[in-house]
Amino acid sequence: MKKTLITLAVLAAATGVAQAQSSVVIYGTVDAGFVSERGGVNGTVNKVDSGIGSASRLGFKGTEDLGNGLSAIFLLESGFSVDNGQQDVSGTLFNRQAYVGLSSKTTGTLTLGRQYTPWYNTLSKVADPFAVGYAGSAKNLFPANTRTSNTVMYASPSYNGFDADVAYSAAANGNENPLSSKIGRKVGASAGYSNGPLNARIAFNSTSNDVANGAGTGVVEAGSGRNWLAAANYDFAVAKAYVAYGVNKGLNSAVRNNTNRQAYSLTNLSAVASNDSTTALIGATVPVGPAGTVMASYIHVNDKAGTNADANQFALGYSYALSKRTSTYASYAKISNKNNAGFTVGNYSNAGSGDQALNVGVRHSF
């Protein structure tokens, strides 16, 4: 009996070592709810929507221990719509993220493939109390610069709370052009400090506007769109405060989540995206009881390009955790557009159709 117990203990230990050396995890989020949008060209729009608080997704991620603190890593993530069961992007499989790389505890992580930009990680994880989800998503007014294909990214380890990352995308939209490496090129970087209640970060993003000429034989140089973002949050225990300030310069520096100029207004006076603007945010999250969280933010867009197409957004939300993996939520946001600015209230996955929206839903993660 004693020998049997010893043998089982050895086998259990060996199994634990094997699992530590190589592992694959299946994960996902299922998020759906009711959305009511008002104030747009289509009037009142009521619908069941998917990915309101965060995108509905199915993912696979894995790691293999290569020894000496070095690991091989990969991640494959596909987005889908709960309301109809379809893929987020037709004809794609892992449209959200798809990368492989190496990670070292001492020298950092290098990944290659389709992945989030340093700018987006700063906006979603540091700047926005709504984490770019719900009706109050900062993507309604901030440039999103969400993810890029053909990307090489390096992220440093944390040194006394400081870390940084840099990304280079040869063709961010996935279509390399043999005429020039500048066509579709995107470059980004961020650096931050996180220690105790303070989390602060700065980010930069540059998108090339160069395109092929009409004959497809040369390149039309058009400069680049450039974004800077400084953001911070501080946890006071009774509330967490958020602040962010962004500067956008150049053509396509402030491409809206709502890319259709007439989505909000049928008139041709709807303002084009500014090539010189700033965006500022203040917000907070407040714990309510053992499982509730109130979210609030105010965002202001200052258009300096001449049309003065400014906008303000006020947002309020509430999330209640039914368990560690399941929560319910409600949120409301209202945008005041000036001089036909045309911004719309969306959520994590959709751009919205009007200047105000209410969502109520449920989210489960596994």
Side-chain angles (χ1 to χ4, degrees), residues 19-363:
Q19 290 177 342
Q21 289 177 339
S22 181
S23 66
V24 176
V25 175
I26 300 175
Y27 69 93
T29 298
V30 184
D31 182 320
F34 172 77
V35 173
S36 179
E37 300 168 345
R38 301 189 177 201
V41 65
N42 295 319
T44 300
V45 177
N46 296 320
K47 59 184 177 180
V48 173
D49 209 355
S50 175
I52 297 169
S54 58
S56 297
R57 69 195 78 180
L58 176 65
F60 307 84
K61 59 183 177 181
T63 179
E64 180 187 11
D65 188 351
L66 303 176
N68 298 318
L70 183 67
S71 299
I73 60 174
F74 79 88
L75 188 145
L76 302 169
E77 189 176 272
S78 177
F80 61 90
S81 298
V82 178
D83 52 327
N84 56 25
Q86 297 178 359
Q87 290 177 294
D88 279 352
V89 181
S90 178
T92 66
L93 182 56
F94 299 113
N95 58 292
R96 291 184 55 79
Q97 295 186 85
Y99 64 76
V100 65
L102 296 173
S103 180
S104 168
K105 295 179 180 179
T106 57
T107 58
T109 301
L110 182 69
T111 50
L112 301 93
R114 180 169 174 80
Q115 46 200 311
Y116 291 115
T117 66
W119 168 280
Y120 182 80
N121 285 332
T122 302
L123 182 66
S124 62
K125 297 178 180 180
V126 183
D128 188 7
F130 288 86
V132 298
Y134 312 102
S137 172
K139 291 191 298 183
N140 293 338
L141 297 184
F142 276 85
N145 296 319
T146 307
R147 59 179 73 85
T148 52
S149 299
N150 303 300
T151 300
V152 179
M153 180 179 291
Y154 168 76
S156 76
S158 178
Y159 297 104
N160 297 319
F162 292 94
D163 73 286
D165 53 18
V166 60
Y168 176 87
S169 304
N173 61 2
N175 302 313
E176 292 94 342
N177 194 305
L179 290 174
S180 172
S181 61
K182 291 183 178 181
I183 297 178
R185 184 178 67 185
K186 189 183 287 282
V187 178
S190 72
Y193 176 77
S194 181
N195 186 18
L198 176 64
N199 189 6
R201 200 161 195 90
I202 56 173
F204 170 76
N205 189 85
S206 175
T207 304
S208 172
N209 291 312
D210 290 0
V211 296
N213 62 23
T217 57
V219 177
V220 178
E221 296 187 358
S224 60
R226 303 170 304 284
N227 309 106
W228 295 266
L229 176 64
N233 60 66
Y234 192 93
D235 192 347
F236 293 95
V238 295
K240 180 182 285 189
Y242 292 77
V243 62
Y245 185 79
V247 177
N248 316 297
K249 297 279 188 179
L251 179 65
N252 292 323
S253 63
V255 175
R256 300 194 298 254
N257 236 22
N258 159 23
T259 56
N260 180 3
R261 290 179 58 191
Q262 294 185 330
Y264 175 68
S265 171
L266 283 176
T267 70
N268 292 325
L269 297 175
S270 193
V272 298
S274 176
N275 59 14
D276 184 3
S277 65
T278 61
T279 315
L281 175 152
I282 56 173
T285 58
V286 181
V288 180
T293 302
V294 172
M295 303 162 284
S297 69
Y298 174 80
I299 305 175
H300 173 67
V301 173
N302 182 16
D303 177 20
K304 300 180 178 181
T307 57
N308 199 31
D310 297 347
N312 301 307
Q313 174 179 285
F314 169 77
L316 184 66
Y318 177 74
S319 174
Y320 184 84
L322 299 171
S323 70
K324 291 183 178 180
R325 297 185 296 172
T326 303
S327 63
T328 58
Y329 57 80
S331 62
Y332 172 82
K334 174 73 170 70
I335 291 178
S336 298
N337 285 297
K338 299 181 179 179
N339 298 319
N340 300 297
F343 291 95
T344 52
V345 177
N347 51 58
Y348 189 98
S349 301
N350 297 299
S353 63
D355 61 6
Q356 56 183 306
L358 170 69
N359 5 102
V360 179
V362 60
R363 176 173 57 187

